[in-house]
């Protein structure tokens, strides 16, 4: 039996080795290989701990609920899912970005097709599970029917139907972090990143500091969902327009219609632009990321709401970020540099219509090599009265660009395909 590992900084903690570790070496992962078998499978399941080759386990934050189900006796710990007929309804990739370890570091490009590309491992009883699922669905937002009634949108019977249903390809993506790549994005040493992750998760994952040979981490956080409107193949067609809205979760506004921010109105506007683009022969992509309250969390967000409204003079643009920093210690924790990964996974190299005025998102995309032709702001009449403070604060802080001039040369190259003509 191996002697428990300790570090000088954590001498009071006895760190466990990798659960169930045996003399059997886990399957190596060669991140950035375009050949799935050469890259190796991501195995985060616990039915056979000797096979496990990553830190953490599948399902992100839901892994805790799985633990509760097992503890209560409603789920067998050794359950292995039957993946019959669960394969993607459409295929994504592979694209050149899949073989670039600098382009994708926070998801597994092969996560949707593990049943196809890792057959040899399945035949040897390896328990490999998908981290991406692709299906088709209808979504219905009341505002879309209002847009039809106002003549903003047209019912075509294929993309947008008479009853207001919108046909989409829907993709769920769980986080899969390649730690060397994450550290590079953060511009820090991998050892330091591992140490901080270990500390800030309360020592939940000791392998972060005891197993440097395991370079992939399945963090217990939410992933993202992608909604594709129109033909998936058009995403990588240089002759087709592509509209994109990248949206960070805001439960209060997105789901319950809170009017203190522009989140749901901007999400709806993004969907509208995507529908218009798809109906004109292009395609629209909505990326919805689980980063509630600028990744500060909903409790912190509500505390900030109270602080903003109760301060002397009431809610003011000049104190918007100050009150956030007083509670959270930082204005924003979303770290948008990881966000473009899902766009690269989709094969996106150019966005014709980016429905966002966030400089953080724009800069992250452009710095990752994605060309952005035009940025589309939320129309003034869509901004709720109580959200005016948010817009004014972001403009004053240089957080939000109200009027960005498109790249004139790039725009002229697609002029014949613009929707305004």
């Amino acid at each position: 039996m191996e002697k428990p590992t300790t570090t000088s900084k954590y001498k009071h903690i006895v760190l466990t080795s990798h659960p169930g570790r045996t003399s059997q070496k886990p399957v190596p992962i060669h991140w950035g290989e375009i050949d799935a078998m050469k890259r190796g499978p991501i195995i985060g399941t616990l039915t056979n701990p000797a096979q496990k080759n990553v830190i953490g386990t599948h399902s992100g934050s839901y892994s805790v609920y799985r633990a509760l189900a097992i503890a209560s006796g409603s789920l067998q710990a050794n359950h292995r899912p039957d993946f019959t007929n669960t394969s993607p309804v459409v295929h994504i990739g592979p694209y050149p970005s899949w073989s670039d370890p600098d382009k994708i570091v926070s998801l597994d490009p092969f996560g949707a097709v593990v049943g196809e590309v890792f057959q040899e491992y399945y035949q040897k009883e390896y328990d490999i599970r998908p981290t991406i699922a692709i299906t088709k669905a209808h979504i219905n937002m009341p505002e879309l029917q209002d847009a039809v009634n106002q003549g903003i949108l047209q019912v075509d019977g294929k993309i947008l139907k008479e009853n207001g249903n919108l046909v989409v390809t829907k993709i769920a993506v769980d986080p899969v972090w390649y730690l060397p790549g994450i550290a590079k994005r953060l511009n820090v040493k991998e050892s330091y990143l591992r140490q901080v992750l270990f500390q800030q998760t309360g020592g939940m994952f000791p392998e972060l500091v005891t197993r440097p040979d395991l370079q992939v981490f399945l963090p217990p956080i939410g992933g993202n969902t992608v909604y594709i409107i129109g033909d998936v193949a058009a995403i990588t067609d240089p002759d087709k327009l592509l509209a994109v809205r990248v949206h960070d979760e805001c439960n209060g506004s997105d789901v319950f219609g809170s009017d203190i921010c522009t989140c749901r109105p901007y999400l709806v506007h993004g969907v509208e632009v995507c529908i218009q683009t798809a109906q004109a022969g292009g395609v629209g992509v909505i990326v919805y990321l689980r980063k509630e309250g600028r990744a500060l969390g909903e409790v912190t967000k509500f505390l900030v709401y109270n602080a903003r409204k109760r301060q002397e003079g009431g809610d003011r643009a000049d104190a918007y970020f100050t009150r956030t920093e007083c509670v959270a210690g930082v204005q924003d924790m979303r770290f948008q540099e990881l966000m473009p990964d899902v766009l690269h996974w989709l094969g996106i190299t150019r966005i014709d219509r980016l429905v966002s005025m966030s400089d953080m998102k724009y800069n992250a995309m452009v710095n990752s090599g994605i060309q952005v032709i035009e940025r589309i702001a939320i129309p003034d009449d869509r901004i709720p009265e109580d959200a005016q403070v948010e817009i004014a604060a972001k403009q004053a802080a240089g957080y939000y660009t109200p009027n960005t001039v498109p790249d004139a040369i790039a725009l002229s190259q697609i002029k014949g395909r613009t929707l305004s003509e």
Side-chain angles (χ1 to χ4, degrees):
M1 182 175 179
E2 277 195 308
K3 188 178 180 180
T5 306
T6 61
T7 66
S8 59
K9 193 168 185 179
Y10 307 105
K11 287 181 179 178
H12 62 289
I13 301 174
V14 177
L15 301 178
T16 61
S17 62
H18 194 57
R21 188 177 178 186
T22 68
S23 59
Q24 179 179 336
K25 290 185 178 181
V27 176
I29 298 172
H30 301 288
W31 199 268
E33 282 283 355
I34 194 65
D35 183 302
M37 287 297 289
K38 290 181 180 178
R39 200 291 306 273
I42 302 295
I43 309 173
T45 49
L46 299 172
T47 51
N48 185 344
Q51 296 176 352
K52 199 164 181 285
N53 65 352
V54 300
I55 302 165
T57 186
H58 288 306
S59 301
S61 57
Y62 293 100
S63 61
V64 177
Y65 288 102
R66 183 172 64 239
L68 293 181
I70 292 171
S72 67
S74 60
L75 174 66
Q76 293 297 311
N78 62 353
H79 170 72
R80 293 185 65 161
D82 178 357
F83 291 122
T84 303
N85 294 327
T86 63
S87 59
V89 296
V90 296
H91 280 269
I92 304 291
Y95 297 112
S97 54
W98 290 24
S99 63
D100 187 339
D102 289 331
K103 293 289 188 187
I104 300 176
V105 300
S106 63
L107 60 86
D108 176 12
F110 302 103
V113 291
V114 295
E116 300 170 28
V117 298
F118 296 121
Q119 272 298 316
E120 289 184 28
Y121 285 103
Y122 278 107
Q123 291 168 6
K124 296 176 183 178
E125 297 298 314
Y126 277 82
D127 188 5
I128 306 166
R129 304 193 182 184
T131 57
I132 298 175
I134 306 174
T135 189
K136 283 192 177 290
H138 292 92
I139 62 173
N140 194 306
M141 304 173 76
E143 293 93 335
L144 299 184
Q145 190 61 59
D146 293 340
V148 170
N149 296 337
Q150 296 169 23
I152 298 171
L153 293 177
Q154 304 296 320
V155 171
D156 60 72
K158 182 180 179 182
I159 295 172
L160 185 60
K161 299 190 174 182
E162 287 284 354
N163 59 4
N165 279 350
L166 176 63
V167 179
V168 299
T169 299
K170 187 161 63 171
I171 305 170
V173 183
D174 276 344
V176 178
W177 286 6
Y178 176 57
L179 292 174
I182 299 286
K184 188 173 182 180
R185 292 274 180 95
L186 281 165
N187 195 29
V188 299
K189 290 184 177 180
E190 183 189 343
S191 59
Y192 178 69
L193 171 65
R194 286 171 171 266
Q195 187 180 91
V196 174
L197 285 170
F198 172 72
Q199 288 178 301
Q200 295 302 313
T201 55
M204 187 183 295
F205 302 100
E207 295 85 5
L208 285 166
V209 292
T210 64
R211 295 293 305 274
D213 58 310
L214 298 180
Q215 296 186 315
V216 174
F217 177 39
L218 306 184
I221 61 173
N224 59 71
T225 311
V226 179
Y227 296 86
I228 300 173
I229 301 168
D231 183 9
V232 174
I235 292 176
T236 55
D237 187 335
D239 296 322
K240 300 290 179 65
L241 279 173
L242 171 64
V244 172
R245 166 68 183 168
V246 174
H247 191 90
D248 292 317
E249 178 183 27
C250 178
N251 183 63
S253 178
D254 296 341
V255 179
F256 294 102
S258 170
D259 64 354
I260 198 170
C261 64
T262 59
C263 294
R264 183 177 175 95
Y266 220 152
L267 176 60
V268 171
H269 183 52
V271 173
E272 290 174 356
V273 173
C274 286
I275 292 171
Q276 293 167 340
T277 304
Q279 289 179 332
V283 61
V285 174
I286 302 289
V287 179
Y288 194 88
L289 300 108
R290 300 315 190 283
K291 296 179 181 177
E292 179 65 60
R294 296 191 217 120
L296 302 172
E298 202 163 34
V299 169
T300 296
K301 181 166 74 170
F302 288 7
L303 293 174
V304 171
Y305 284 168
N306 286 344
R308 284 169 50 191
K309 293 178 179 180
R310 290 172 177 168
Q311 65 189 335
E312 186 177 350
D315 196 8
R316 309 190 313 274
D318 64 330
Y320 180 89
F321 286 117
T322 301
R323 300 315 306 158
T324 303
E325 289 179 325
C326 286
V327 177
V330 65
Q331 292 182 5
D332 197 313
M333 290 200 309
R334 283 176 288 183
F335 191 66
Q336 297 292 5
E337 280 77 6
L338 294 181
M339 171 269 295
D341 287 25
V342 69
L343 304 177
H344 289 297
W345 175 70
L346 291 167
I348 293 174
T349 57
R350 187 198 71 224
I351 296 172
D352 299 304
R353 317 185 79 207
L354 176 61
V355 191
S356 172
M357 300 313 295
S358 166
D359 289 341
M360 292 175 68
K361 294 176 183 177
Y362 171 80
N363 291 337
M365 292 177 192
V366 172
N367 291 339
S368 77
I370 296 173
Q371 183 184 24
V372 176
I373 307 302
E374 181 182 8
R375 296 168 69 182
I376 300 175
I378 185 172
D380 290 340
D381 61 3
R382 303 288 186 94
I383 302 173
E385 183 61 33
D386 275 1
Q388 295 291 342
V389 170
E390 173 199 9
I391 295 297
K394 289 182 177 180
Q395 289 176 344
Y399 190 103
Y400 174 103
T401 303
N403 294 300
T404 300
V405 179
D407 182 324
I409 296 176
L411 193 57
S412 68
Q413 293 173 349
I414 64 163
K415 188 173 178 59
R417 299 181 286 117
T418 55
L419 299 178
S420 59
E421 292 191 341

